Amino acid sequence: MIYFDQNTRLIHLSTPKTSYLMKVTADGYLGHVYYGKRLEKAPSQDLLRLEELSEPSEKPGEKVSFLDNLPFEYPTAGVGDFRESCLDISSNDNVRGIELFYKGYQIRNTKPEIKGLPASFDHTDSNCETLSITLRDDIRQIEVELNYTVYSDLDVITRWAVIKNCSNKAFYIDRALSMCIDAELDDYSVLYESGAWAREHQIQFQKVKPGTIVTESVKGESGHESQPFLGLISSDCSEESGEAYGFSLVYSGNFLAKVQTNSFGMSRTVLGIHPENFRWKLLRGESFYTPEVIMTYSDAGLGGMTRTFHRFIHDHIIRSAWKDKQRPILVNNWEATYLDFDDKKLISILGKAKESGLDMLVIDDGWFRKSKSEPEGGLGDWLPVDNKLPEGLKPVSEAAIQNGMKLGLWFEPEMISEDSELYRSHPEYVLSFPGRRPAECRNQWMLDFSNPKVLELIYEKIAAQIKENNLSYIKWDMNRPICDAYSHYLPADRQGEVCYRHVLGVYQIQERLLKEFPWLLIENCSSGGARFDCGMLYYSPQIWTSDDMDPIERLSICEGTELIYPVSTMGAHVCKNRNDISGRNISFDTRGLMAMAGTFGYELDITAISADDISKIPSQIKLRKRLNDLVNKGEYYRIKSYRRRVDGPVGGISGNADCFELISEDRSEAAVWFMQPLAEPNQRSIRIKTRALSPDFSYRVIAVTSADAYFDNNSDGRILDISGIRGEELNNAGLCLKLPREDFTGILIMIEKC
Ligand code: GLA
């Protein structure tokens, strides 16, 4: 997997189908040679073009032109490479400039941890090798260790850097990105995601041209507007063919992803912690660890890239004991009551949930706030309030125990309200620039998570509620971006560390919670999906995807999420009718079927919905449980995209419908989710070609518009039921499905080997 040729100093990393090549030049620079489809033999040409003359140089290798043209593995700032750098440092005397030269390497058969950060793991240590290349600037006495873990079970290489201060004085790291790839990308597009609250994870493409394409966050979290991810796809890339590179940062804060293309058609792709609002003081002898980047290359289109990410994240990022288990099917009171509830209301929801076969009640925002209409006060104190819960949470937690139900609770641990005991006693715990009132957002301020006392206090508050109320689950929310990033705890020359330390603080508390309560299910959330990333998935197997639960709105939100993350990670609930965000009315059956492609639960007042809807809950639960293995471990194939009906260069799958498949590894079963957003007049049946069924297996195909219909042969909702149809026919000739004449119709097609 890792081969270092001592003669040529060519380094070859290989996974089953990919190769990644670097070379140490005669001068000791580390150049990037190649990343893509696997090469069995080393290239015969000098792909670094070391002997080529670049204007205005007089001779090959003259420094400025040379440095500005060499494809670098880890470019540095200030000494002649004018492109985006990965590393920039300064010192108290304002000396800048760093240049790295090769010193040595080491190969290990393990995946090392990355200090303080979430990172991929290989519990068996049999699926990977790690190469560490040491580069050094002898003048500054700084060492950089570039680490590459090569996985043998998947086409994934991960990389991260460690910056070591070997000098006898402190210096500042002004930027430390995790990854750089220099390559020619003519005829490629950049794939990234945009979004907003209630419209997260929208897939975007932009053709690579001279200039820059940037996706980034400076909000202190991955953000509604962006994903710490970047893809590069060839112009012939489609869902299942063509080339797709994917790079995903295992980090949950400010990030920069950039593709910078010069006039010679050479593109530099970088990814890492955003240099804005970042300056880290590194004392003598200390090391700084950048977050890890997961890199993959596929010549099987977007689908190939997606399936590698899904499996990698499932096998090597998510640690939770809940990963493959049936997660508790819950009812969450947020859209049912918003802030207006009391213990009696919660107990009545709990009773109805028990009757309907649900597993857990989640008490959302409001249990610690006096107001029944505005989210004001109480953040930081985390104490139940009298006007809603006069006896605290005890009556509800006791009712849960009596009913054999689990209980979950919402927190927003990084926040503080002005109207809180915590603020009155510790105003210095708020992030705020001296002399300036910090900007409120949703009536709240940010706590200073770089202060260990704050971390301790918040940890204790959450742990106390878990213990007192026998909690099985917590929802960890974050409802505002970070600004006024000044800590009253850190010294002046460490203020550039606030945003990064904030993220480390979040990781630290979640790690500690999982150590003390290993069975605890954490669902991360940030005003919906503003912190949906691999960093958070290291701590929680599921993340709230979006506050927008309307199944039509979710089509593009989920497509963007599923492009990178496994379906099992998406928090998905049955919403109310009419949806509060979109104003749309959609049947209970469709809302139920579509939420099954996710964690599944209900977020509506189950004590107030119609008897007909309530009667459907048991079969929805039963069907979701039937689908559990497919949702948790199924391979994902996108068949149609409603979102891409107009825009995307990736063709062939757009249309007035949305459709994807999850199939078991042994090909014995698959489920296809289909959505008809708008019924079309004068329409013929639609043909759906399944993917990856075993050609020789014989299958039974049942298509239903409701969960009830899956269990009842005679139901009207069973729109198709055929036995003995071969996989080759379904994959190639397809299945003709007559669509009901109704807008917003969800259909589940179950395919079972017979
Ligand atoms: C955020 C979350 C919601 C809900 C509210 C409560 O918006 O995404 O699910 O918890 O906060 O204020």
Side-chain angles (χ1 to χ4, degrees), residues 354-378:
K354 163 80 182 163
E355 253 175 66
S356 311
L358 297 171
D359 304 312
M360 179 161 79
L361 166 69
V362 174
I363 307 172
D364 210 279
D365 189 357
W367 56 275
F368 53 90
R369 303 195 198 255
K370 285 183 213 113
S371 168
K372 293 195 169 189
S373 57
E374 290 299 319
E376 279 168 9

Side-chain angles (χ1 to χ4, degrees), residues 525-587:
C525 172
S526 176
S527 287
R531 201 160 56 184
F532 205 123
D533 54 62
C534 284
M536 300 319 293
L537 287 174
Y538 188 69
Y539 304 93
S540 67
Q542 61 195 60
I543 300 179
W544 186 229
T545 316
S546 175
D547 282 351
D548 197 336
M549 289 174 271
D550 171 336
I552 298 293
E553 298 303 312
R554 279 257 175 152
L555 294 177
S556 59
I557 297 171
C558 291
E559 183 180 348
T561 314
E562 292 154 0
L563 182 77
I564 313 163
Y565 306 104
V567 173
S568 62
T569 62
M570 296 193 303
H573 297 166
V574 177
C575 65
K576 56 185 172 188
N577 208 28
R578 145 182 210 262
N579 183 282
D580 279 344
I581 291 174
S582 66
R584 207 170 268 134
N585 290 308
I586 295 186
S587 74

Side-chain angles (χ1 to χ4, degrees), residues 215-359:
T215 178
E216 64 189 334
S217 167
V218 289
K219 291 190 157 181
E221 56 179 354
S222 346
H224 286 113
E225 298 80 1
S226 48
Q227 257 296 313
F229 161 86
L230 191 128
L232 300 169
I233 59 167
S234 59
S235 58
D236 62 349
C237 180
S238 71
E239 206 49 40
E240 299 298 337
S241 66
E243 294 184 290
Y245 294 85
F247 308 104
S248 172
L249 187 67
V250 188
Y251 183 61
S252 315
N254 293 341
F255 75 91
L256 173 70
K258 189 166 183 172
V259 178
Q260 185 188 43
T261 305
N262 70 15
S263 311
F264 302 98
M266 184 58 93
S267 300
R268 173 163 287 179
T269 303
V270 294
L271 179 57
I273 296 176
H274 207 301
E276 200 164 312
N277 260 324
F278 174 82
R279 189 173 200 229
W280 188 271
K281 184 175 185 183
L282 200 66
L283 299 177
R284 170 183 157 193
E286 280 184 349
S287 295
F288 178 85
Y289 293 72
T290 74
E292 186 177 26
V293 175
I294 304 167
M295 309 190 291
T296 187
Y297 163 84
S298 155
D299 63 358
L302 282 186
M305 178 195 80
T306 291
R307 285 185 290 279
T308 303
F309 271 123
H310 283 194
R311 234 188 96 197
F312 187 79
I313 291 169
H314 175 275
D315 293 356
H316 298 289
I317 292 286
I318 301 174
R319 298 176 297 170
S320 171
W322 283 100
K323 166 154 73 175
D324 285 334
K325 293 199 180 131
Q326 172 66 61
R327 318 269 167 85
I329 296 186
L330 60 87
V331 57
N332 176 306
N333 77 312
W334 177 241
E335 288 214 356
T337 63
Y338 293 109
L339 302 167
D340 188 6
F341 62 86
D342 57 19
D343 46 8
K344 289 181 197 60
K345 180 71 191 173
L346 294 175
I347 291 170
S348 73
I349 296 177
L350 189 91
K352 201 68 181 173
K354 163 80 182 163
E355 253 175 66
S356 311
L358 297 171
D359 304 312

Side-chain angles (χ1 to χ4, degrees), residues 75-101:
T76 55
V79 291
D81 180 350
F82 299 96
R83 297 164 289 178
E84 195 76 23
S85 66
C86 279
L87 184 64
D88 192 9
I89 58 145
S90 56
S91 48
N92 269 336
D93 47 10
N94 267 330
V95 177
R96 307 191 82 93
I98 174 162
E99 195 173 10
L100 296 171
F101 295 96

Side-chain angles (χ1 to χ4, degrees), residues 462-490:
I462 301 173
Q465 292 298 340
I466 295 175
K467 286 186 222 156
E468 276 166 34
N469 297 300
N470 197 30
L471 302 180
S472 306
Y473 159 112
I474 63 164
K475 179 170 167 189
W476 179 305
D477 206 344
M478 188 223 193
N479 278 318
R480 59 154 296 168
I482 306 179
C483 59
D484 299 274
Y486 185 94
S487 159
H488 297 272
Y489 164 78
L490 291 175

